[in-house]
């Protein structure tokens, strides 16, 4: 039922926590987690009626209506406080990093967070580091020629230096991800070197990231020697 990306997200779910899947769309993750007995129940939300109708179809097809509640909500905003307090783990997957950040900024939670950004991954990391979130585990997967990442994190209030690979599981997929990112960054920097109108802050950010990635790749080379 789950593809490689959603299986990766599923692998990060803490056992036994009431789940909230934000932007659920098809609701496959929540249904699968409830079927496997990994979560005692779930709330699945979406901003739009269409995706929520798709979610309802999946929930009904799997006879999960007693286990999974569906709700229209913009991020965390429309979840009633009593229900919000009951949630042990929020998943925000399949969205851009900026959107995930804006959802986290609008209502605070210190519960488990499983985040799976599709873009602006390093920008989201910067937000987490600067706003007191600890990344406990970070995983990577490949589906065809696409690479994805997901992270399990929780607010502890400690401010951190930029740490884009804190908690990373250093497997083959991690190093493949680094290679792809390095390629992307080098292309972006090359493009900037030909442009007259360069965002200096963004350029500095990319250069910093390039150094961090190269140092992670060198560490591996040294370990293998
Ligand atoms: C690409 S789908 C991802 C579905 C699923 N989470 C996954 O990872 O496969 C993104 C979903 O997020 C929903 N969405 C976008 N902005 C949202 C917001 N602010 N609050 C809740 N859902 C949102 C969209 O309507 C869409 O159904």
């Amino acid at each position: 039922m789950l593809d490689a990306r959603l299986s990766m997200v599923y692998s990060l779910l803490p056992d036994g926590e009431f789940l909230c899947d934000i932007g659920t769309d098809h609701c496959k993750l929540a249904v699968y987690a409830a079927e496997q007995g990994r979560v005692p129940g779930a709330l699945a939300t979406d901003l739009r009626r269409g995706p929520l109708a798709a979610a309802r179809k999946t929930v009904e097809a799997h006879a999960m209506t007693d286990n999974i509640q569906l709700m229209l909500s913009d991020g965390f905003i429309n979840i009633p406080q009593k229900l919000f307090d009951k949630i042990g783990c929020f998943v925000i997957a399949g969205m851009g990093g900026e959107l995930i950040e804006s959802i986290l900024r609008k209502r605070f939670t210190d519960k488990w967070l499983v985040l799976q950004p599709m873009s602006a991954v390093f920008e989201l990391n910067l937000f987490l580091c600067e706003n007191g979130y600890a990344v406990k585990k970070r995983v990577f997967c490949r589906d065809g020629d696409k690479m994805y990442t997901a992270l399990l994190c929780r607010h502890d209030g400690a401010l951190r230096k930029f740490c884009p690979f804190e908690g990373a599981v250093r497997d083959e997929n991690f190093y493949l991800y680094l290679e792809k990112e390095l390629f992307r960054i080098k292309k972006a920097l090359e493009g900037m070197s030909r442009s007259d109108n360069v965002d200096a802050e963004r350029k500095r950010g990319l250069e910093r990231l390039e150094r961090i990635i190269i140092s992670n790749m060198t560490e591996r080379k040294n370990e293998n020697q």
Side-chain angles (χ1 to χ4, degrees):
M1 182 171 186
L2 304 183
D3 60 15
R5 180 183 62 83
L6 282 176
S7 296
M8 169 182 70
V9 172
Y10 176 77
S11 77
L12 289 179
L13 295 184
D15 282 322
E17 299 283 5
F18 191 89
L19 176 72
C20 176
D21 186 19
I22 298 284
T24 193
D25 196 355
H26 39 68
C27 202
K28 287 182 185 169
L29 179 76
V31 165
Y32 186 74
E35 276 183 342
Q36 297 300 308
R38 189 87 184 267
V39 301
L43 169 68
T45 75
D46 206 285
L47 179 65
R48 298 185 183 88
R49 289 183 192 281
L52 210 63
R56 183 160 291 112
K57 267 193 184 168
T58 312
V59 170
E60 286 171 0
H62 289 257
M64 278 282 149
T65 43
D66 289 345
N67 306 70
I68 299 175
Q69 185 180 341
L70 298 171
M71 183 181 288
L72 270 180
S73 177
D74 177 359
F76 299 160
I77 289 175
N78 308 95
I79 304 172
Q81 190 63 47
K82 215 170 154 193
L83 188 51
F84 196 72
D85 292 343
K86 183 178 160 183
I87 295 161
C89 174
F90 293 87
V91 171
I92 316 178
M95 294 181 211
E98 294 99 339
L99 179 53
I100 295 177
E101 179 182 328
S102 85
I103 288 172
L104 295 177
R105 279 187 187 280
K106 283 182 188 157
R107 190 173 183 181
F108 175 71
T109 178
D110 60 2
K111 303 295 181 59
W112 288 111
L113 296 169
V114 175
L115 310 178
Q116 194 275 301
M118 301 294 274
S119 61
V121 176
F122 295 103
E123 290 80 350
L124 177 63
N125 272 302
L126 190 61
F127 165 78
L128 295 173
C129 290
E130 290 177 347
N131 288 274
Y133 294 86
V135 178
K136 306 287 184 188
K137 193 170 178 186
R138 190 186 298 270
V139 287
F140 303 84
C141 81
R142 179 184 183 169
D143 196 352
D145 60 355
K146 292 210 173 90
M147 298 293 308
Y148 300 99
T149 185
L151 34 135
L152 171 68
C153 57
R154 192 154 187 160
H155 192 269
D156 66 3
L159 305 189
R160 293 169 171 81
K161 283 203 307 188
F162 182 53
C163 41
F165 303 116
E166 181 190 15
V169 173
R170 291 170 183 264
D171 57 9
E172 280 306 310
N173 284 330
F174 171 61
Y175 290 105
L176 259 176
Y177 185 88
L178 291 187
E179 272 175 33
K180 280 208 144 199
E181 279 304 296
L182 191 58
F183 182 74
R184 182 184 69 82
I185 290 163
K186 280 188 185 300
K187 281 202 97 169
L189 287 172
E190 268 168 38
M192 282 179 177
S193 71
R194 287 192 296 271
S195 165
D196 299 331
N197 188 15
V198 172
D199 177 342
E201 199 184 329
R202 181 168 153 67
K203 184 166 179 271
R204 270 197 303 279
L206 286 172
E207 286 167 346
R208 186 178 178 198
L209 196 50
E210 185 184 33
R211 284 195 298 277
I212 296 174
I213 291 178
I214 290 174
S215 109
N216 272 273
M217 291 169 89
T218 314
E219 264 173 38
R220 185 199 198 192
K221 257 193 209 148
N222 293 341
E223 275 165 20
N224 290 342
Q225 274 169 7

